[in-house]
Amino acid sequence: MTSSPRFYRMHNVIQDYAWGSTTSIGQLFGIENPEGKPQAEIWMGAHQNGCSQIEVDGKPTLLSEFIDADKATLIGAETAATFGELPYLFKVLAAEKALSIQVHPSKAQAEVGFAKEEELGVPRTAGNRNYKDPNHKPELVYALTPYQAMNGFREFSDIVSFFRALEIEEIHVLVEALEASQNEQGLERFFEAMLSLKGEVKESCVAKLLAFAKSHKDDQLFALILDLAEQYPGDIGLFAPLMLNTLTLQPGEAMFLDACTPHAYIKGTGLEIMANSDNVLRAGLTPKYMDVPELVSCTRCQPMPFDTLLLAPQVESGALHYPIPVPDFKFSVYQQANNAELQTNSAEILLAVDAPLTVTHTDGETLTIAKGESVFIPANAGTYLATSEGKFARAYN
């Protein structure tokens, strides 16, 4: 392997999910969209549902097949022994419409849930399947444009105040119960009861919520609810902004989304890195299957203080290193690097964010990629240099 290339230009899949933007990826990276399709996500990695390709000996090769040929060398012996694969998926995510409200199970919950559904014989592609794999799915998002999202529960007293103000008769008893039990157990019962509303009761509650929102549309929070109602009419998730923290990340700000924490991406374009998993339990703003009891069993019903939502990086010589509390991935952003010396301990993916990026190996090999392009660097590359007049992002573990 010593004579093999150190750098591999990546050819990445663009997912055309309906909620994606038709313009943002083109505006940021100059990637053409002649058919005008939604360009929701660019996937950089070895995931089976959208695997990147590289050139090996002049032939297009799936990154997953390339890695499988010599895992210890290409992703590192420790990563191969611990994960058995490239343990992260790196994305550009461009949302024009809101994604569903989601909770991702913990590693332990995913292992138990996956084994149970396997034993029951639920097809992995079934719409009512909760656990597609036995892995957790922590995520980091880094904003490239203003990036609106929800993350974690509001303070108990704030939730009570919002729902009190609505004065919706059908849920009066639920609100009273939450006011009397402003703790994790009380919020869990309230959250489950709200998501379980059905039929005419649900329709009436949503209608009264929207009537209140229309009379308070100058308030950003209720303006948001009205916007979401146009995208997901009649959805019980329209109550979510009253329960969850809402915020807009500014370009360059980042946020970590942990297991068991309800969250949703509303609008904007950013970079996202996550553990290699498809496990999603939905909590609204979706026409897809919702298993409310399973969702609630995997949800940590504790407030997340608003001032803890943004992830502060550790700054080091022009590089921003984001503290990630899981071993599956690491994430850094480099600004105006001039022959920055980097060392691989695992497989890395670099993305040129807003200017060309040149990587140079100590053996003389060099590769330049344009903004919006990415390069795969195997674990055995060792030391290399990176130069860019703009920003580049580094995914590794």
Side-chain angles (χ1 to χ4, degrees):
M1 298 296 296
T2 54
S3 60
S4 298
R6 309 296 186 176
F7 309 127
Y8 296 85
R9 188 188 305 271
M10 302 175 72
H11 302 278
N12 302 310
V13 173
I14 298 180
Q15 307 284 13
D16 59 355
Y17 306 137
W19 48 261
S21 171
T22 59
T23 58
S24 186
I25 285 177
Q27 290 169 350
L28 286 169
F29 303 126
I31 295 174
E32 294 183 358
N33 184 17
E35 296 180 30
K37 288 185 176 181
Q39 294 179 313
E41 296 182 345
I42 303 175
W43 284 24
M44 296 168 279
H47 196 285
Q48 61 184 3
N49 293 339
C51 187
S52 300
Q53 290 191 346
I54 59 174
E55 281 196 12
V56 181
D57 298 327
K59 298 177 183 177
T61 303
L62 289 173
L63 182 58
S64 57
E65 294 179 358
F66 178 64
I67 289 171
D68 286 345
D70 191 351
K71 291 180 182 178
T73 298
L74 297 173
I75 63 174
E78 185 177 343
T79 296
T82 303
F83 299 99
E85 62 181 1
L86 187 69
Y88 59 83
L89 177 62
F90 190 24
K91 298 180 180 180
V92 176
L93 187 151
E96 186 64 29
K97 294 169 58 179
L99 284 68
S100 60
I101 305 161
Q102 302 179 3
V103 169
H104 303 307
S106 68
K107 178 75 170 169
Q109 290 165 340
E111 289 172 348
V112 171
F114 179 77
K116 182 179 178 181
E117 289 186 328
E118 288 288 281
E119 186 177 343
L120 291 172
V122 182
R124 294 188 191 180
T125 55
N128 65 336
R129 175 99 188 201
N130 289 318
Y131 299 95
K132 306 293 178 66
D133 53 69
N135 203 10
H136 62 170
K137 194 184 177 187
E139 304 171 350
L140 174 141
V141 62
Y142 172 92
L144 297 177
T145 70
Y147 196 94
Q148 194 173 21
M150 292 185 269
N151 187 12
F153 285 106
R154 296 178 179 272
E155 298 292 343
F156 298 123
S157 58
D158 291 341
I159 299 173
V160 170
S161 294
F162 281 130
F163 279 87
R164 274 285 187 202
L166 295 178
E167 296 183 335
I168 297 176
E169 182 181 352
E170 290 88 340
I171 59 172
H172 178 72
V173 172
L174 301 181
V175 178
E176 276 196 333
L178 178 59
E179 187 167 23
S181 301
Q182 296 187 39
N183 52 43
E184 185 173 357
Q185 292 74 28
L187 180 55
E188 180 178 301
R189 288 191 292 267
F190 180 77
F191 186 53
E192 182 167 15
M194 287 299 301
L195 293 179
S196 299
L197 294 177
K198 296 285 189 295
E200 291 181 3
V201 172
K202 171 189 161 187
E203 291 173 11
S204 176
C205 289
V206 170
K208 291 175 180 178
L209 168 67
L210 296 184
F212 186 93
K214 287 173 184 174
S215 66
H216 294 78
K217 60 186 177 183
D218 291 338
D219 184 311
Q220 287 186 340
L221 182 61
F222 291 101
L224 169 61
I225 290 172
L226 292 174
D227 285 344
L228 293 175
E230 292 185 8
Q231 299 174 30
Y232 297 97
D235 195 293
I236 197 63
L238 297 176
F239 283 98
L242 305 181
M243 292 186 269
L244 306 182
N245 293 303
T246 62
L247 73 163
T248 299
L249 278 67
Q250 296 306 311
E253 293 183 333
M255 180 170 67
F256 185 74
L257 301 109
D258 206 352
C260 306
T261 302
H263 62 274
Y265 297 149
I266 299 171
K267 188 171 184 178
T269 300
L271 305 181
E272 185 184 36
I273 182 168
M274 63 182 66
N276 226 3
S277 173
D278 275 338
N279 288 327
V280 173
L281 297 162
R282 293 178 176 84
L285 302 184
T286 179
K288 294 182 179 180
Y289 176 67
M290 282 173 52
D291 184 337
V292 173
E294 190 69 23
L295 163 77
V296 173
S297 74
C298 292
T299 301
R300 188 183 305 110
C301 292
Q302 298 173 345
M304 284 181 62
F306 191 82
D307 60 4
T308 68
L309 296 178
L310 293 182
L311 193 62
Q314 298 163 352
V315 182
E316 181 183 71
S317 303
L320 307 176
H321 304 297
Y322 289 85
I324 309 296
V326 295
D328 306 67
F329 59 85
K330 296 178 182 176
F331 179 78
S332 300
V333 174
Y334 295 77
Q335 305 175 77
Q336 296 181 320
N338 183 18
N339 283 332
E341 185 175 301
L342 304 179
Q343 175 74 36
T344 60
N345 295 307
S346 62
E348 305 189 352
I349 296 173
L350 306 187
L351 170 73
V353 174
D354 55 11
L357 166 67
T358 298
V359 286
T360 304
H361 196 264
T362 52
D363 66 7
E365 181 184 345
T366 187
L367 175 68
T368 298
I369 58 173
K371 66 178 181 179
E373 291 186 333
S374 59
V375 53
F376 176 77
I377 304 176
N380 68 329
T383 302
Y384 67 96
L385 305 176
T387 297
S388 176
E389 293 183 357
K391 292 181 182 177
F392 70 90
R394 181 188 188 196
Y396 54 119
N397 80 294

